[in-house]
Amino acid sequence: MRTRDIDGSEVADWQSENNTEASLDVKWGITPDITLNATINPDFSQVEADVAQLSVNNNFSLFFPEKRAFFLDNADYFASTLNLIHTRNIAQPDYGTKITGSKNGHTFAGFIANDTQTNVLIPGNLGSSLVALDEKGENGALRYRYDFESGLSLGSTATHRQSDDYKNTVYSIDSKYKPTVNDVFLVQVLKSQTQYSQDFIDELCDGDNCSQPEQVSCELNSDCDYNEGVLRVLSKEQQSGTGYYVKYQHDEKYWRAFADYNYRDADLRADLGFISQVDFKKFTTGGEYRWYGDKGNWWNRANLYADWDITHNENNELLEKEAQTSFSVSGPLQSFFELSVEHRNRTGLRHDKSRLDIDGNTDMFSENGVGFYSDFKPTAGVFASLFMYTGNAVDLANNRVGDKFHIRPVLNMNLGKHFEVRLRHTYEQLEADGSEVFTANLSDVRLTYQFNVNSFVRLAVIYTDLERNQANYIDDVDSQYKNLATQLLYSYKLNPQTVFFAGYSDNGYQDDELSSITKEQRTLFAKFSYAWLL
């Protein structure tokens, strides 16, 4: 692999780096029920670009699914009610070992993997922040579940992450009980222990001195992505947290009803999973009624759904109260239509960020919106969908309510036996105080030509265009930001784990300092992975 990087904001030379990467995957069926996987250099992150997502006006980290074969194989063996094992947190592993098995009601799984960098999610109740440490880390997870014939299952999960400046351990027990075919109870309890070094704490402030909360200067700038979780890390190097989740659901042919309660204290951290919000207790209840069409009807199923939830932080301050309902119909040409209405009261960010206290000092806003979603598959190889939303939305950057419009069309088509086209575009606009706040466009285009069952070539182009009205922002922001990422990939696959990839990718951006999109990274790569099956 050859990578060239340049600082597009300055006059500089390209910096080149050559890196040879070969991969070996070993899969050993120890018994028909137990499998051992081992891998060297399983990081094929260049192989398939993630589906583009808008991050504007969002305080929480985006979720991206796992795509690497080593982690996907028997991934369901690690699953529990809460997402405590999300392997995308392991960014660039050099090696990994995994064992999975299931027999006579016993299901077990475990893995260990290193990472050449350590990315840590710092959650709060109003947002989350990501800290990237330029140091190696170690990751491990264990999962066990026993299924009784009575409909009861008991499980346990343990995860551990550590680097030179950081350590996080989580223990969890969970249970699923189905006393009848219509009823199900879910329970999960977890406890975490987390330790941060002073170097880690300083990294939160991009190198500033953060040894004491009163010395913090970073809670006001974007580098720290201000949230309550960051302030708690700055105030203490060791944290111990707990959380639990309880749910009951009754499901009949024509209707279902459910209620659940989710609690996470402010110091809970599940850093190998995807837990982006803490310091809350949330109660949700809802239900659904279903109709089924008779033979000859133009529709075959209709659903009326509604739920209500309320969320407080640990100090019983209201974070959110929401009610929503939707009506959907499934019809001809494998079509689906849904109309939804929602009303929400929620807190914005603290309007006085100079305060360092964690509690209080929030504003409450009201959001009302209407959404519409439809999709259909008129023929084999064609899928189209459309999502639209209009209503009020909190302008998080400026702590006020604005008018939001969002639309996202998707079209996937097979043109003949070999050519596939995938088109996805997202448009979002927010207005407040009588003028525009931002307009965002995000396009994701992927063209694939399948030579045969073993090989294909794919072109992916992702383009982001964000325009902001600087006069309508409290803080200084760029009036424009554009990003263009492209990837050309050739793949030859002998079997699911013996594959060869070769390709080219680049990335460029434009902001107020640049007059056009300027490339900042170019990569030529070739990767080969051999699967040795025992």
Side-chain angles (χ1 to χ4, degrees):
M1 180 174 67
R2 179 178 176 85
T3 302
R4 301 184 71 198
D5 298 279
I6 193 171
D7 186 349
S9 63
E10 299 177 358
V11 178
D13 295 328
W14 285 92
Q15 302 297 318
S16 298
E17 179 182 355
N18 295 320
N19 185 19
T20 301
E21 297 187 20
S23 180
L24 175 66
D25 292 288
V26 178
K27 188 172 184 177
W28 177 22
I30 301 175
T31 72
D33 305 302
I34 302 175
T35 302
L36 177 68
N37 295 69
T39 185
I40 299 174
N41 187 30
D43 179 26
F44 277 25
S45 56
Q46 292 100 333
V47 170
E48 184 177 356
D50 289 305
V51 174
Q53 301 182 56
L54 276 180
S55 59
V56 63
N57 204 39
N58 178 22
N59 283 339
F60 289 97
S61 297
L62 299 178
F63 177 86
F64 293 99
E66 181 60 82
K67 298 183 179 182
R68 294 164 293 187
F70 171 77
F71 293 112
L72 285 175
D73 192 23
N74 288 339
D76 57 320
Y77 284 43
F78 293 92
S80 62
T81 302
L82 299 178
N83 191 353
L84 300 183
I85 302 175
H86 179 53
T87 51
R88 278 297 294 266
N89 290 317
I90 305 173
Q92 297 179 3
D94 287 327
Y95 65 84
T97 303
K98 177 169 64 175
I99 186 168
T100 56
S102 180
K103 188 174 183 179
N104 298 329
H106 299 272
T107 300
F108 60 90
F111 78 81
I112 57 173
N114 82 326
D115 202 347
T116 56
Q117 65 184 64
T118 304
N119 298 323
V120 181
L121 185 67
I122 307 295
N125 60 30
L126 298 177
S128 59
S129 307
L130 185 66
V131 178
L133 300 176
D134 188 17
E135 58 187 38
K136 291 187 176 182
E138 301 293 334
N139 306 271
L142 294 172
R143 170 72 180 163
Y144 170 78
R145 189 185 77 242
Y146 182 70
D147 300 316
F148 296 86
E149 294 182 358
S150 62
L152 173 68
S153 68
L154 297 175
S156 178
T157 301
T159 68
H160 181 75
R161 298 188 77 196
Q162 71 175 38
S163 68
D164 292 340
D165 297 311
Y166 152 83
K167 184 184 297 183
N168 172 253
T169 304
V170 177
Y171 302 100
S172 172
I173 57 173
D174 59 271
S175 175
K176 180 179 180 180
Y177 180 49
K178 294 193 68 174
T180 71
V181 295
N182 305 111
D183 297 283
V184 61
F185 294 88
L186 299 172
V187 178
Q188 186 159 10
V189 180
L190 62 156
K191 181 177 180 59
S192 69
Q193 296 283 344
T194 311
Q195 183 173 342
Y196 307 103
S197 73
Q198 186 58 49
D199 289 339
F200 182 98
I201 293 174
D202 291 343
E203 187 70 24
L204 284 174
C205 295
D206 198 22
D208 290 340
N209 184 1
C210 299
S211 58
Q212 298 296 329
E214 60 267 19
Q215 297 174 338
V216 175
S217 60
C218 67
E219 74 277 8
L220 303 179
N221 67 53
S222 59
D223 291 334
C224 276
D225 290 334
Y226 171 89
N227 71 67
E228 299 77 12
V230 169
L231 293 183
R232 286 187 178 272
V233 174
L234 300 178
S235 64
K236 51 184 175 180
E237 296 183 3
Q238 296 189 23
Q239 296 180 324
S240 176
T242 59
Y244 60 86
Y245 177 81
V246 180
K247 180 176 181 177
Y248 166 73
Q249 177 171 285
H250 182 85
D251 195 349
E252 301 274 356
K253 178 180 179 180
Y254 290 97
W255 65 276
R256 72 180 176 100
F258 67 90
D260 63 61
Y261 189 81
N262 197 353
Y263 168 77
R264 300 173 192 169
D265 75 20
D267 290 335
L268 179 67
R269 302 288 183 266
D271 293 342
L272 193 55
F274 190 79
I275 302 294
S276 62
Q277 184 179 22
V278 295
D279 185 20
F280 74 88
K281 39 191 177 181
K282 179 177 183 178
F283 172 76
T284 305
T285 184
E288 177 184 32
Y289 192 83
R290 312 180 185 105
W291 295 267
Y292 298 91
D294 297 325
K295 185 176 181 180
N297 285 3
W298 68 268
W299 60 280
N300 53 62
R301 176 169 169 166
N303 296 61
L304 178 63
Y305 172 86
D307 70 34
W308 178 86
D309 63 72
I310 187 168
T311 308
H312 294 83
N313 64 13
E314 283 194 280
N315 294 311
N316 290 319
E317 297 170 320
L318 180 65
L319 297 178
E320 181 180 284
K321 182 165 59 175
E322 178 187 64
Q324 57 183 0
T325 184
S326 64
F327 180 75
S328 62
V329 177
S330 299
L333 301 178
Q334 298 186 66
S335 59
F336 177 82
F337 303 90
E338 182 179 68
L339 180 67
S340 59
V341 179
E342 64 182 21
H343 168 74
R344 181 186 304 108
N345 293 322
R346 59 174 292 190
T347 58
L349 293 177
R350 284 164 175 75
H351 58 257
D352 180 9
K353 291 185 180 180
S354 63
R355 291 169 55 98
L356 294 179
D357 58 304
I358 297 171
D359 308 311
N361 200 28
T362 58
D363 293 326
M364 183 67 63
F365 300 103
S366 179
E367 296 180 327
N368 299 280
V370 178
F372 173 77
Y373 175 81
S374 67
D375 64 51
F376 68 103
K377 302 175 183 177
T379 185
V382 177
F383 170 84
S385 70
L386 177 68
F387 173 71
M388 299 176 61
Y389 178 90
T390 182
N392 308 120
V394 176
D395 175 11
L396 295 172
N398 304 291
N399 210 47
R400 60 188 171 186
V401 173
D403 296 318
K404 174 182 175 180
F405 177 72
H406 179 103
I407 184 169
R408 185 184 66 241
V410 175
L411 176 63
N412 300 333
M413 297 180 61
N414 291 334
L415 304 179
K417 296 181 179 180
H418 300 281
F419 193 54
E420 179 188 53
V421 178
R422 291 179 174 265
L423 307 174
R424 180 187 182 101
H425 183 79
T426 303
Y427 171 86
E428 186 170 311
Q429 183 180 57
L430 184 68
E431 296 181 351
D433 295 337
S435 62
E436 178 183 304
V437 179
F438 68 80
T439 298
N441 284 276
L442 177 61
S443 300
D444 190 327
V445 178
R446 304 185 187 218
L447 310 176
T448 303
Y449 188 84
Q450 192 83 36
F451 296 102
N452 50 52
V453 69
N454 300 109
S455 65
F456 68 83
V457 62
R458 175 187 297 140
L459 174 65
V461 180
I462 300 174
Y463 176 68
T464 303
D465 185 357
L466 175 61
E467 296 182 357
R468 296 184 180 95
N469 178 8
Q470 292 175 315
N472 213 3
Y473 274 80
I474 295 175
D475 298 323
D476 292 333
V477 295
D478 285 328
S479 63
Q480 66 172 351
Y481 175 80
K482 297 180 180 180
N483 183 275
L484 178 63
T486 61
Q487 180 195 72
L488 181 64
L489 172 74
Y490 172 77
S491 169
Y492 183 85
K493 183 179 295 186
L494 186 62
N495 60 53
Q497 290 183 308
T498 299
V499 291
F500 169 76
F501 299 100
Y504 166 82
S505 63
D506 61 29
N507 186 74
Y509 76 99
Q510 177 185 353
D511 57 17
D512 287 353
E513 296 181 356
L514 299 172
S515 59
S516 62
I517 294 178
T518 303
K519 299 295 183 184
E520 62 176 342
Q521 185 179 74
R522 296 170 179 166
T523 302
L524 284 170
F525 61 89
K527 292 192 175 185
F528 174 73
S529 175
Y530 178 73
W532 185 17
L533 305 179
L534 300 177

